[in-house]
Amino acid sequence: MKNFLIAVLYALLLISCTTVKAPEVFEIHTPLQQEFLSGPYEMATIYAKGNAELSRPQPVIIESDKETLFISGQEYPVADGKAELYNVKAGENLVYDDVKIAVSETAPRNLYIDGVTNVRDAGGWMTASGKRTKQGVLFRSARLDDITEKGIRELGKLGIRTEVDLREDGFDPGILSYDNIPMKTGGGYLVSNIPFLPSFFHMICDETKLPIIYHCSIGTDRTGMVTFLINGLLGVSEEDLYRDYLFSNFALIEGMRRPRTIDEYIAYMDRFEGDTLSQRIENFLLSVGVDEKDIAALRHLMLE
């Protein structure tokens, strides 16, 4: 009997040594980002002013005595008894053995790509229909010119195939399949770039190119404009369109962005027919030559 009890205690000790410790729901946003996302979006410039790198997420940290963890099909090294998981999806349930680790559903899914600022998933937002826009399809960022080898490996983990560069003086760093749509800078981003919208929307619906990361220089103006059109078309709320645009203030963009830009975009869409912003954006896109099939394809790809 004594030997049996010793064996049971030893088995329990082994089990306890490999137990994963994690909160019931993990928040990928830093405390400062959480304050912004939970409060009035108009207060964005109180929390961040675009002059420091504050856009990265905080990692999911799992304690373990193992050297390596396999979590939801990914391998993670363990150092000093902890594994750090970056770039998990909002609302994802991570699985390790019989342990499930829930991740907060709050968008945006901001990302850590070493050498790049202002990186996040274009998806993950709730829509008026109750559907969530799909993550892992379209990503937005600042330029990739200074990406590190570590950052390139992270792009590979995310499965990104294509870089769409929206700069007039585009530069191919040679890390992904590369396309350049040379949008104009210097203000008036919506009106001045109307001629480029049909080719942009056609490209982001090409399944042979997905997943795509698209960017301009700092990932805020030209990138922010096309993201407004994408998510507005998909039915993301006006409040969340503001939040996504203003989240760029957490990045190193060397200047603040304010709500008035989205004010102007929404006012411009009011020129077009439609009971909702989504309908008005659709009619705007059709009027400037975006193919109806591409609009339907985008909805099919991005609405879960």
Side-chain angles (χ1 to χ4, degrees), residues 88-142:
V88 298
K89 291 181 179 179
E92 182 174 10
N93 286 318
L94 302 170
V95 179
Y96 171 81
D97 291 342
D98 293 328
V99 178
K100 290 185 179 180
I101 305 164
V103 179
S104 169
E105 295 184 350
T106 305
R109 176 198 180 192
N110 50 319
L111 302 169
Y112 176 22
I113 306 295
D114 198 51
V116 188
T117 191
N118 207 15
V119 193
R120 53 193 181 274
D121 199 313
W125 299 96
M126 293 302 297
T127 66
S129 67
K131 295 182 179 180
R132 183 182 294 275
T133 56
K134 189 177 290 186
Q135 299 172 76
V137 181
L138 299 175
F139 299 86
R140 54 173 297 178
S141 74

Side-chain angles (χ1 to χ4, degrees), residues 15 31 60 110-111 131 178 185 204 212 220 231 238 275 289 291:
I15 292 171
V60 174
N110 50 319
L111 302 169
K131 295 182 179 180
Y178 178 84
T185 189
I204 64 172
I212 282 173
T220 300
N231 281 331
E238 291 186 13
D275 294 331
D291 195 306

Side-chain angles (χ1 to χ4, degrees), residues 15 47 62 206 244:
I15 292 171
Y47 301 107
I62 299 177
D206 185 345
D244 184 50

Side-chain angles (χ1 to χ4, degrees), residues 123-237:
W125 299 96
M126 293 302 297
T127 66
S129 67
K131 295 182 179 180
R132 183 182 294 275
T133 56
K134 189 177 290 186
Q135 299 172 76
V137 181
L138 299 175
F139 299 86
R140 54 173 297 178
S141 74
R143 58 186 175 270
L144 306 185
D145 302 23
D146 300 318
I147 192 170
T148 66
E149 289 297 323
K150 180 181 178 181
I152 293 171
R153 288 194 298 272
E154 202 60 40
L155 292 182
K157 289 180 182 178
L158 292 168
I160 296 173
R161 295 182 185 178
T162 307
E163 173 187 356
V164 178
D165 189 344
L166 303 179
R167 295 174 294 177
E168 290 182 280
D169 55 346
F171 166 74
D172 181 2
I175 56 176
L176 298 165
S177 175
Y178 178 84
D179 286 289
N180 180 223
I181 299 178
M183 292 190 175
K184 298 183 182 301
T185 189
Y189 295 100
L190 178 61
V191 175
S192 64
N193 288 304
I194 281 175
F196 302 102
L197 294 178
S199 57
F200 176 78
F201 274 85
H202 184 68
M203 186 170 293
I204 64 172
C205 295
D206 185 345
E207 294 192 53
T208 67
K209 296 180 179 293
L210 299 175
I212 282 173
I213 186 165
Y214 59 90
H215 67 87
C216 49
S217 182
I218 58 175
T220 300
D221 299 315
R222 289 162 287 189
T223 300
M225 181 270 293
V226 295
T227 304
F228 165 82
L229 293 174
I230 291 168
N231 281 331
L233 175 69
L234 295 173
V236 174
S237 71

Side-chain angles (χ1 to χ4, degrees), residues 280-297:
R280 293 191 288 276
I281 290 176
E282 178 174 358
N283 286 326
F284 160 72
L285 292 174
L286 291 172
S287 75
V288 300
V290 175
D291 195 306
E292 187 174 3
K293 291 181 181 178
D294 289 335
I295 292 174

Side-chain angles (χ1 to χ4, degrees), residues 5-20 65:
L5 290 174
I6 291 173
V8 170
L9 288 171
Y10 182 69
L12 290 172
L13 179 63
L14 288 177
I15 292 171
S16 66
C17 287
T18 58
T19 297
V20 174
D65 65 341

Side-chain angles (χ1 to χ4, degrees), residues 23 25-35 37 54-61 84-94 101-112 119-121 123-125 132 135 247 250:
V25 178
F26 199 94
E27 178 58 69
I28 63 172
H29 300 110
T30 66
L32 194 64
Q33 294 165 7
Q34 290 177 52
E35 285 188 44
L37 293 171
L54 302 172
S55 68
R56 293 171 177 170
Q58 60 183 7
V60 174
I61 297 177
E84 293 188 346
L85 284 64
Y86 279 101
N87 301 341
V88 298
K89 291 181 179 179
E92 182 174 10
N93 286 318
L94 302 170
I101 305 164
V103 179
S104 169
E105 295 184 350
T106 305
R109 176 198 180 192
N110 50 319
L111 302 169
Y112 176 22
V119 193
R120 53 193 181 274
D121 199 313
W125 299 96
R132 183 182 294 275
Q135 299 172 76
F247 197 87
F250 286 91

